[in-house]
Every structure is written in C-alpha cells, then in structure tokens.
Amino acid sequence: MANYHSGWRIYHSTVVIGDQVYLWGGQHKYLSEVHETISSSSLVDIFNIRTSKWQRRSTTGNPPPGMFRYACTNIGKKIYYYGGNCRPSDCFHNALVELS
C-alpha cells in the first residue's frame, strides 16, 4: 500500500508496542452509518515510528463490538479493548477483547 495514511479520526485510542503505534476504531470516513460491520472494524492501522510510514492490516476472529469511545491498553504485545459504543443507535458495549 504505497503512501497509505490513516486519515482523520476522532474518539479513538492508540497503543505503542516497540516502534509501532496501533490504531483501531474511532469515528472516521470509512465507518458505516449502520451498526458496525466486519469490514470497517476488522482493520488495524499501524504507524512505524522509525520509518514514519503507515500500513493497514486485517485482523482475524471477532472484532470488538464498540467502534469508538472505548478504553485501550496493552500488556506486552497483546492489546486490550474495553467497552465502547457504536452508531447509529448509540448502543453501548461491556466487553473486554484481546488483539494479539
């Protein structure tokens, strides 16, 4: 993906593991107006601090249900997401999900 950039985003969280910043979810131009779809929520944007380049990777398994306004942290190389809500009905989620 030459010259990929994640674009604008709000209500998201990031974690840093090594030289990489992991970014998932948030409100952005690709977010569906209906309840979150697998296509918009199964992608993780990664920024490499050393090279200043973005890349996008797909995930496997079930993505977290809350696309924005969630809490996020990491322990080692595992990333944890908790809670969040989604559009258009402002549904709120109470789930802890691991991304490794």
Side-chain angles (χ1 to χ4, degrees):
M1 217 179 260
N3 300 319
Y4 171 74
H5 188 278
S6 130
W8 68 266
R9 193 174 303 224
I10 58 174
Y11 305 124
H12 62 281
S13 294
T14 60
V15 294
V16 177
I17 300 175
D19 294 334
Q20 301 195 13
V21 178
Y22 291 82
L23 169 65
W24 175 84
Q27 286 183 312
H28 51 87
K29 66 181 177 179
Y30 300 112
L31 188 62
S32 172
E33 288 295 328
V34 297
H35 197 278
E36 300 346 311
T37 62
I38 297 299
S39 63
S40 65
S41 62
S42 62
L43 300 170
V44 176
D45 290 327
I46 304 166
F47 180 74
N48 187 299
I49 296 168
R50 290 186 187 251
T51 64
S52 295
K53 293 187 179 180
W54 285 95
Q55 63 179 313
R56 175 167 271 186
R57 290 204 181 149
S58 297
T59 63
T60 59
N62 295 324
M67 286 294 294
F68 57 95
R69 295 181 179 145
Y70 57 86
C72 178
T73 192
N74 71 294
I75 299 174
K77 292 185 179 183
K78 295 181 179 181
I79 302 171
Y80 296 91
Y81 296 97
Y82 175 75
N85 71 328
C86 58
R87 302 188 296 195
S89 60
D90 268 342
C91 54
F92 295 91
H93 298 278
N94 186 20
L96 178 64
V97 180
E98 174 189 316
L99 177 67
S100 56

